[in-house]
Structures are given as C-alpha cells and as structure tokens.
Amino acid sequence: MSPQHEAPVTSGGRKDLQADCASCFGLCCVALPFARSADFAVDKAAGQACSHLRTDFRCGIHERLRDRGYPGCTVFDCFGAGQKVSQVTFGGTDWRRAPESARAMFEVFPVMRQLHELLRYVAEALDLAAARPVHKELRRALARIDGLTRGSAEAVTALDVNALRGEVNPLLLRASELVRARVPGRRKDHRGADLMGAKLSGAGLRGASLRGALLVAADLSGADLRDADLIGADLRDADLGGADLTGALFLTQAQLDAARGDAATVLPPGLSRPAHW
Ligand code: SF4
C-alpha cells in the first residue's frame, strides 16, 4: 500500500510486473483490510477507502508513512496487479466513477496480485541461465498465467490460485536447484524452518534453501546469503546489515523493505536499498 512509491526494477525487466501507482485506482488502499497494529495506525475493512487516500488515488501521507504509524504500507508490493485490474480488467474506469463495479474490482485485486507474484517469480527464473533446462516449461507457464490475468473479473476471481501455484512451484524449485547446484560445498536446507530471532550473524548460507523460512527478527548481519533461495521467506525486522545477497533467488523488494539493513548490505541487481535503512 504505497501509491506513488518508486517501483523496483525486478521481474526480469518486465515493467508490467512492477507497481505503477499512477495507473492504478489506489486499489491496495481500498480493497485490502488492515488491523490496528505496529504496521497500521487504525483498523480498516476490506472495500473501505483509507482516510488518507486522496481523490486522485494518491496517498496523502506518502512521505510520512512510517512516522504516521503506517509502516505496513511501505512494505507492500502488488507486482503490477493494481494497474492490470484498473486498466485491463476494468478498462480504465475507476470505482468512484462506476461505483457499481467497485465490489468486483476489489474482489479481483487480491487474486490478481497472487497471479502477478507468480508471474514475477517465473519471469525471474527465465532470467537464470543455469535454469535453462526448465525454461521451456517456464515459458509455457508464463504464457498461461499471463493469459489468465487477462480474463474477465469473474473469471479471475473464480480461479483456484493455490492449484496454479502447486503446478508452478515445482518448476521454480527446479530452477532454484539448478542454480544452487553450482555453489561449491554443502548447501544448507532451511526450507520452511522456524528461525524466528535466530542468531545467524556471519552464517555461511551461500546457496542455502530458505524457502518460506520464518526469519522474523533473525540476526543475519554479515551472513553470506549469496545465491540463497529466499522465496516467501519472512524477513520482517531481520537484520541484514552487512549481509551479502548477491544472486539471492526470488527476493522481492517488499521482503527487503520489511527487513533492516545498512550501507554495507550487498543487494542483488534490480533491488534498491530501502530508504529507512
Ligand atoms: S496510508 Fe496511504 S498508502 Fe497506506 S493505505 Fe492509506 S492511502 Fe494507502
């Protein structure tokens, strides 16, 4: 939830998989619910416009989100789903001008976001030279998902995204394995591990699988995370100060934005150093 935020250059260079808030009707600030917490200053129901959303669909407190108690808005990435729903699914007619379509628009957005997230991972895998043995299947998956995102609002909302993810995940896993197999030595497997608050300062995690690992508040300062697979890893408040993330796989800007780091953290190309580091 961050209209006007700087879109990271990820997703295999595909602009349509990067948030373009100027082409979106502020969907993340309306469609999604949030609860009063350390991430959001107030409660908001799904379908209710945030009180800070301006009439031009921009955020009225964009420059002060963290100070005003909305850090959760700074770590959200729609992967380009917002502009797809606004401009493609609904043809550029916003929910204020056509309130009768508002509900359908807000329902389709979270589904589209999941589809775009999948597309983003597949696009990244297609950029990995070592994953060439699965590129043909990945290209097929990309075309299929891309086609699904262009369906009607009803068709997109009715999709079984979990089933689709179940079909695509083995390809992403295979791509990851092909890349990490090139890393010398024994690679650690922390897939889905609960590493909340773990002391991993300076750890050798090169080529490790950290897929879906819970790394909330983990100390990863100075860790070697080169070529590590971080898909879906929860890095909220993790300390990445001085860590080396060169070649880290499936790392998103939102994951970085949710973590802590410093000027010495080495980032993969295409991801930017969060302003609050
Ligand atoms: S505070 Fe700003 S970015 Fe966050 S939901 Fe409200 S309008 Fe959107």
Side-chain angles (χ1 to χ4, degrees):
M1 280 159 246
S2 186
Q4 305 168 80
H5 77 317
E6 293 294 323
V9 182
T10 52
S11 8
R14 279 187 52 160
K15 292 259 185 228
D16 64 321
L17 300 181
Q18 299 163 24
D20 173 11
C21 302
S23 300
C24 174
F25 302 142
L27 295 182
C28 58
C29 307
V30 190
L32 306 180
F34 50 65
R36 186 174 177 169
S37 61
D39 286 329
F40 300 102
V42 296
D43 291 316
K44 187 189 87 59
Q48 174 194 336
C50 173
S51 60
H52 298 296
L53 186 66
R54 300 188 321 209
T55 51
D56 62 356
F57 302 115
R58 299 301 180 104
C59 174
I61 57 168
H62 178 68
E63 305 301 334
R64 294 160 286 145
L65 281 167
R66 285 182 178 264
D67 296 342
R68 296 287 297 268
Y70 290 84
C73 297
T74 67
V75 301
F76 180 82
D77 188 353
C78 77
F79 303 104
Q83 71 258 28
K84 175 69 72 64
V85 172
S86 300
Q87 304 301 332
V88 178
T89 320
F90 287 87
T93 303
D94 71 69
W95 48 272
R96 283 199 173 108
R97 276 188 295 156
E100 67 282 0
S101 64
R103 188 169 170 181
M105 194 180 278
F106 302 153
E107 281 176 357
V108 81
F109 173 68
V111 182
M112 190 69 84
R113 181 182 177 272
Q114 293 181 72
L115 294 176
H116 268 239
E117 184 178 15
L118 263 183
L119 282 174
R120 183 253 188 243
Y121 293 139
V122 173
E124 179 177 333
L126 280 167
D127 266 358
L128 302 170
R132 189 153 293 131
V134 284
H135 275 184
K136 195 173 166 192
E137 289 168 271
L138 284 165
R139 269 194 294 274
R140 212 177 290 139
L142 189 84
R144 183 168 161 233
I145 305 166
D146 207 51
L148 291 172
T149 68
R150 293 169 198 284
S152 67
E154 296 74 26
V156 174
T157 305
L159 283 172
D160 184 346
V161 182
N162 280 338
L164 191 61
R165 200 180 281 119
E167 290 173 38
V168 175
N169 262 344
L171 291 177
L172 298 176
L173 186 55
R174 183 80 187 109
S176 164
E177 283 165 349
L178 286 162
V179 173
R180 293 183 298 111
R182 298 186 164 196
V183 173
R186 196 161 165 265
R187 295 174 302 281
K188 298 202 169 90
D189 186 358
H190 293 304
R191 188 177 177 182
D194 183 350
L195 295 168
M196 198 160 163
K199 307 280 180 234
L200 294 165
S201 179
L205 293 165
R206 188 175 179 194
S209 174
L210 290 157
R211 297 173 70 86
L214 192 62
L215 287 158
V216 176
D219 180 3
L220 287 159
S221 56
D224 183 357
L225 288 158
R226 288 176 294 166
D227 303 307
D229 184 346
L230 286 157
I231 196 167
D234 192 338
L235 291 167
R236 280 176 296 161
D237 210 28
D239 185 358
L240 293 170
D244 190 348
L245 290 154
T246 304
L249 301 169
F250 306 122
L251 179 67
T252 66
Q253 188 65 45
Q255 283 171 301
L256 282 183
D257 291 345
R260 292 179 287 129
D262 59 24
T265 308
V266 184
L267 302 177
L271 294 177
S272 39
R273 200 169 302 279
H276 65 278
W277 281 17

